[in-house]
Amino acid sequence: MNPIMTSLILSSLALGTVITLTSFHWLLAWIGLELNTLAIIPIITKQHHPRGTEATTKYFLTQAAASAMLLFSSTINAWSTGTWDITQLTSQPACIMLTMALSMKLGLAPLHFWLPEVLQGTSLKTALIITTWQKLAPMALLFLTQHALNPTTLLTMGLLSTFVGGWGGLNQTQTRKIMAFSSIAHLGWMATILTISPTIMILNLVLYLLMTISMFTVLIFTTSKTIKDLTTTWTISPTLSSLTLILLMSLGGLPPLTGFMPKWLILQELTSHNLPSLATILAMSALLSLFFYLRLSYTTALTLPPTTTQNQLKWRFCPKQKTTVLSTTLVLSTLLLPTTP
């Protein structure tokens, strides 16, 4: 793609999110979401491949439907209350519609079906943008309206998402689909805690972004599109293959790694709000996700590839890509547990 067009599209993508993040008027928030959706469409369809076109169509239809539902809910609210202020959301039908619209935008179960399919049809870099940057605007709107949202709906969707994210990833061989189901599971944890403690949700979101960025940079660095590709990571960098193992354990939420922090705080908060059964079910659902992370780490660091590699000493060469982002996010994704608030 032309560098000028790339910079224009990426700046439009950033601008759309920033408009939504800074707006207090429903129409401005909607304009930001629309700009965001329209800017990422050329990025997804850039590959000129039927799968890319299919992914773009699915993404556009779901996001357009969600945006329309969001606009409809804000109109209903403005009709009943006489204000377009985001924080003044009081109409019950509008609250439920808004929850559904933002859940569809994020990919929360049972409105998650588009996410794995779209990620599978795009490149790893585009998948990184969809799973990280594209979650910011809907999450900001959820955060602004959390006092008005129905806790039962969010808890149900969050619980369902953690299970769907775990079950869905079990039999996948494609790394992008595994990351999509991982994203659904993480979003489920965030939706569960949103109405109880919004600050923990923000912390969880930041750590989720960190871990997802570092995992995707590992996949981009090793050009791994399937689990089988991960078996040759050791030829590129032996250090990276062992660090990937630790990163996957962090994504699964094992102590003493960063990923344990949000799960620990969420379970603690749920228990203190007299919801021990919900906390137990959430902890059990984390085991499902942990299983496929273990599978990935086993193939990455503990097995030799079934096919012989052409060059066993590839790691002696200087890497073509910059490793600054990779090293920074990897360190933060694994060693932040002592900073637990």
Side-chain angles (χ1 to χ4, degrees):
M1 200 188 281
N2 185 338
I4 298 169
M5 283 311 297
T6 309
S7 57
L8 185 69
I9 288 165
L10 288 174
S11 55
S12 302
L13 190 69
L15 180 67
T17 306
V18 171
I19 287 173
T20 308
L21 290 177
T22 53
S23 61
F24 272 91
H25 192 287
W26 275 117
L27 278 178
L28 260 180
W30 174 76
I31 287 167
L33 288 170
E34 283 298 300
L35 184 60
N36 204 322
T37 305
L38 292 173
I40 201 167
I41 280 169
I43 301 174
I44 303 174
T45 197
K46 186 179 68 180
Q47 294 185 88
H48 301 299
H49 189 272
R51 295 217 57 164
T53 314
E54 184 189 338
T56 313
T57 311
K58 284 176 180 171
Y59 186 82
F60 176 72
L61 290 174
T62 48
Q63 298 296 314
S67 290
M69 206 187 291
L70 182 130
L71 194 60
F72 190 38
S73 76
S74 58
T75 311
I76 290 172
N77 188 60
W79 195 13
S80 61
T81 61
T83 177
W84 285 90
D85 193 339
I86 290 178
T87 51
Q88 303 296 318
L89 189 71
T90 48
S91 168
Q92 196 59 38
C95 291
I96 292 168
M97 281 192 73
L98 177 77
T99 310
M100 291 299 145
L102 293 175
S103 300
M104 196 190 287
K105 276 207 162 290
L106 286 167
L108 274 175
L111 305 165
H112 67 282
F113 294 100
W114 62 272
L115 188 59
E117 299 299 322
V118 168
L119 287 202
Q120 188 51 35
T122 63
S123 65
L124 283 166
K125 283 178 184 170
T126 314
L128 169 63
I129 295 172
I130 294 170
T131 47
T132 54
W133 187 258
Q134 294 298 89
K135 306 292 183 210
L136 293 177
M139 272 298 180
L141 289 177
L142 278 175
F143 183 75
L144 282 172
T145 56
Q146 43 89 13
H147 60 279
L149 300 175
N150 185 354
T152 317
T153 313
L154 275 170
L155 286 173
T156 311
M157 292 182 86
L159 205 56
L160 197 59
S161 296
T162 53
F163 270 104
V164 165
W167 280 120
L170 287 181
N171 61 348
Q172 297 299 333
T173 54
Q174 302 285 333
T175 50
R176 281 165 295 183
K177 274 197 174 177
I178 287 175
M179 289 309 293
F181 284 110
S182 161
S183 173
I184 292 164
H186 279 281
L187 288 167
W189 283 83
M190 286 179 236
T192 310
I193 201 65
L194 174 65
T195 48
I196 299 166
S197 173
T199 44
I200 293 181
M201 190 277 288
I202 294 291
L203 175 72
N204 195 344
L205 178 65
V206 170
L207 294 179
Y208 157 76
L209 293 176
L210 263 179
M211 292 189 290
T212 309
I213 288 167
S214 53
M215 192 62 222
F216 266 109
T217 42
V218 167
L219 295 175
I220 291 164
F221 197 75
T222 57
T223 57
S224 304
K225 289 189 172 66
T226 61
I227 294 182
K228 196 177 80 174
D229 296 341
L230 279 169
T231 53
T232 53
T233 309
W234 65 276
T235 58
I236 297 162
S237 166
T239 322
L240 186 62
S241 69
S242 49
L243 281 172
T244 308
L245 183 143
I246 301 168
L247 173 62
L248 284 160
M249 293 303 97
S250 183
L251 267 167
L254 287 186
L257 303 165
T258 306
F260 178 61
M261 190 203 296
K263 288 184 170 55
W264 176 23
L265 292 171
I266 287 170
L267 294 176
Q268 190 181 343
E269 197 69 26
L270 287 172
T271 317
S272 66
H273 277 78
N274 209 15
L275 293 164
S277 51
L278 182 70
T280 310
I281 297 166
L282 266 179
M284 297 293 279
S285 72
L287 293 173
L288 291 168
S289 302
L290 184 61
F291 179 80
F292 64 77
Y293 292 132
L294 274 169
R295 206 163 120 238
L296 277 175
S297 56
Y298 180 72
T299 49
T300 307
L302 303 172
T303 56
L304 284 173
T307 51
T308 51
T309 49
Q310 288 186 340
N311 186 357
Q312 292 194 339
L313 305 174
K314 206 188 288 184
W315 51 270
R316 287 187 178 179
F317 305 135
C318 189
K320 289 189 181 74
Q321 292 159 314
K322 292 275 187 292
T323 55
T324 321
V325 177
L326 178 61
S327 51
T328 314
T329 50
L330 257 172
V331 170
L332 293 173
S333 302
T334 49
L335 302 175
L336 280 186
L337 188 67
T339 63
T340 308

